[in-house]
Amino acid sequence: MSTVRTRGRDALVLVLVVGVLLEVLTTHQDVPLELSVPVALAMTVPQLWGERRPVLVAAIVLGAWLLQALVGRWGWALEPQSELLPVCLVFWSLGAYLPRRQAVWSCVVALAAVTAHSPFDMAVLGPLMVGVFAGGRLMHSREQLARQLEAERAHAERYAVAEERTRIARELHDAVGHAISLMTIQAGAERLALGDDRPETARVLTQIERTGRQTMQEMRRLLGVLRTEDEEPDLSPQPGLAQIPALAERMRPIGLRVDVETEGEPRPVSPGVDISAYRVVQEALTNVLKHADGRRSRVRIRYLPHSVELEVTDDGRAAHAAQNGGGHGLAGMRERVSLYGGTLEAGPVPDGGWRLLARLPLEPAP
C-alpha cells in the first residue's frame, strides 16, 4: 500500500476514535464509562494495524462489539450507532488485505459474529457487510493487477537493457576489431621497413603482430557467443553521425518527415560514441512512428566544447508517448548513453509532442 493511502487510513481511524468516543460519552446509558470507553477504544484504535494484521484486528473489534451487546442487555438505554463504522472497516480490511481463500472464510466468521450481535437486523447488516467486503476485494484485485503489470514492465525493461548491451558489444567488437587490425598491420609494415638494422625493435614488433592476431581470434569467438543462432552476420559498415541525414531520408517514404540540423563545427568522435549517437537518433525516430503517431520530427546535432548533444522532437501525441514510456527502447537508449558517461532526458513538451535530449562526451578519435 502506498504511503499516501496508509496515511489516509490512519486519519480515518483517528476520526472514528473521536466520533465513537463522543457518542459513547454523550449517549444516555446505565453502563459505567469505565466499561463503555474501553470497549469503544477496542473497536477503533486497533484499526491502525488493520492493513498488517486484518484477522487479529477483526477478532479484537468484533469481540469488543459482542461484549458491547452483552453489556447492553444489562441496561444500555441507547446503543451507540457510530460503532457500526469500525465494523464496516473490518470487513473492508478482510477483503482488501487477505488472500482470496482466507478472506472468504474470515468474512463468513465475521458475518456469524454480526449475526450473534444483531440477529434481527441481518436483513440490512448482511448485504451491507458483504458489499463492503466486495469493495475491499475489488481494491485487492486492482492492486494485484497493478503489481503484476509493473513486474511485467520491469521484466521487459530488463530484457531491453540486456538486448541493448549485447547489441552494443557486437558494435564495439567491430570498432575495436578495426583498430586492432590497423595496429597489427602498421606493426608488420614497420617491422618490414626496419629490415635487419634494429633486431630488438623487430622482435617487439613481431610480438605486437602476434598478440594482435591472437586478440582478433578471441574477439571473433566472443562475437560468436553474442550472436544468436538464427542471426546472420552483418557485413555492412557501422553507421555514425554522418549517416543521420540518410536515416532521415529513409523515414520519409514511411510517413515521417525528418529535418536534420547541425550546430557547431563537426569534429571526429570515438567509434563507440559515433555508433551510439546514431542508434539513439534511430531509436527515437522509431518511437515517434510506433508510439506517438507523429508526422514530423526534427533532429538537432549540437557540437559543444566537450560533448555532442542530440535533440529529437516531434509533433506526435505526447500523452500517448508518455504512457508507453517512449517504448522499451528508451531503457536501451539510457543504457547506451550511460555506458559513455552521458545523460538522457525524455518527456512531453508544453506545446504538444515529445522531446528527447541525449548528451554524449566528445572524445577525439584516435
Side-chain angles (χ1 to χ4, degrees):
M1 175 179 281
S2 66
T3 302
V4 174
R5 197 154 58 242
T6 300
R7 291 176 179 174
R9 179 189 174 91
D10 292 345
L12 174 61
V13 172
L14 292 177
V15 170
L16 285 178
V17 171
V18 174
V20 173
L21 281 178
L22 284 176
E23 187 177 6
V24 167
L25 294 174
T26 57
T27 300
H28 176 66
Q29 55 180 294
D30 297 329
V31 178
L33 293 178
E34 291 81 0
L35 184 59
S36 60
V37 170
V39 168
L41 291 176
M43 294 189 64
T44 53
V45 175
Q47 304 274 4
L48 293 171
W49 294 273
E51 175 189 353
R52 296 182 292 275
R53 297 288 187 271
V55 175
L56 178 61
V57 170
I60 295 173
V61 173
L62 295 176
W65 203 40
L66 290 173
L67 177 62
Q68 179 207 72
L70 180 62
V71 172
R73 296 190 181 97
W74 296 343
W76 203 302
L78 181 61
E79 183 178 349
Q81 298 300 304
S82 61
E83 293 180 353
L84 188 61
L85 296 177
V87 176
C88 290
L89 188 56
V90 161
F91 277 85
W92 172 271
S93 300
L94 293 176
Y97 307 127
L98 289 176
R100 183 170 62 90
R101 183 182 297 272
Q102 186 179 2
V104 171
W105 281 109
S106 299
C107 179
V108 171
V109 174
L111 284 173
V114 173
T115 303
H117 180 278
S118 307
F120 302 107
D121 296 329
M122 283 304 294
V124 176
L125 292 181
L128 174 63
M129 297 306 169
V130 171
V132 173
F133 174 81
R137 289 308 300 169
L138 178 61
M139 189 193 79
H140 178 85
S141 299
R142 292 184 62 181
E143 290 191 344
Q144 197 171 32
L145 177 61
R147 287 193 295 268
Q148 181 180 355
L149 292 175
E150 178 64 21
E152 291 178 356
R153 185 192 65 80
H155 175 74
E157 284 196 358
R158 287 194 298 270
Y159 179 80
V161 168
E163 192 177 45
E164 190 68 14
R165 287 176 178 175
T166 303
R167 187 181 185 187
I168 293 171
R170 290 198 299 264
E171 294 172 350
L172 287 179
H173 166 273
D174 294 341
V176 175
H178 174 74
I180 294 176
S181 298
L182 182 61
M183 178 184 66
T184 304
I185 292 172
Q186 288 175 338
E190 182 67 17
R191 178 179 58 81
L192 294 175
L194 286 175
D196 299 329
D197 296 337
R198 298 167 61 183
E200 292 296 330
T201 303
R203 279 196 293 270
V204 173
L205 292 174
T206 300
Q207 184 63 34
I208 292 175
E209 287 184 76
R210 185 179 299 113
T211 303
R213 294 190 185 97
Q214 291 174 350
T215 303
M216 287 301 302
Q217 291 175 358
E218 295 301 326
M219 289 190 65
R220 292 190 187 98
R221 294 190 184 96
L222 174 62
L223 184 62
V225 172
L226 295 175
R227 183 176 291 121
T228 58
E229 294 181 359
D230 56 348
E231 182 181 3
E232 295 294 331
D234 186 7
L235 302 179
S236 60
Q238 293 294 344
L241 288 165
Q243 282 72 45
I244 290 180
L247 172 65
E249 289 299 322
R250 290 198 300 271
M251 290 289 175
R252 290 179 182 270
I254 55 179
L256 181 63
R257 177 181 174 182
V258 182
D259 299 322
V260 180
E261 300 176 0
T262 302
E263 300 178 8
E265 185 65 27
R267 299 193 296 280
V269 298
S270 66
V273 171
D274 201 24
I275 298 170
S276 293
Y278 178 89
R279 295 301 185 197
V280 167
V281 174
Q282 182 184 43
E283 186 64 34
L285 295 177
T286 302
N287 282 338
V288 173
L289 290 171
K290 290 170 58 178
H291 301 294
D293 193 25
R295 290 293 176 264
R296 185 167 184 174
S297 183
R298 184 182 303 273
V299 177
R300 290 187 176 93
I301 306 171
R302 300 187 183 94
Y303 288 90
L304 304 177
H306 303 290
S307 62
V308 58
E309 192 175 81
L310 308 165
E311 183 183 25
V312 182
T313 57
D314 65 79
D315 60 354
R317 294 175 293 177
H320 185 71
Q323 182 180 359
N324 286 276
H328 293 302
L330 186 59
M333 282 190 283
R334 292 189 189 280
E335 181 68 18
R336 184 180 285 275
V337 170
S338 65
L339 176 66
Y340 294 95
T343 59
L344 187 141
E345 304 171 7
V349 294
D351 297 334
W354 189 261
R355 175 177 178 266
L356 182 141
L357 181 65
R359 187 176 291 109
L360 291 162
L362 192 60
E363 301 174 4

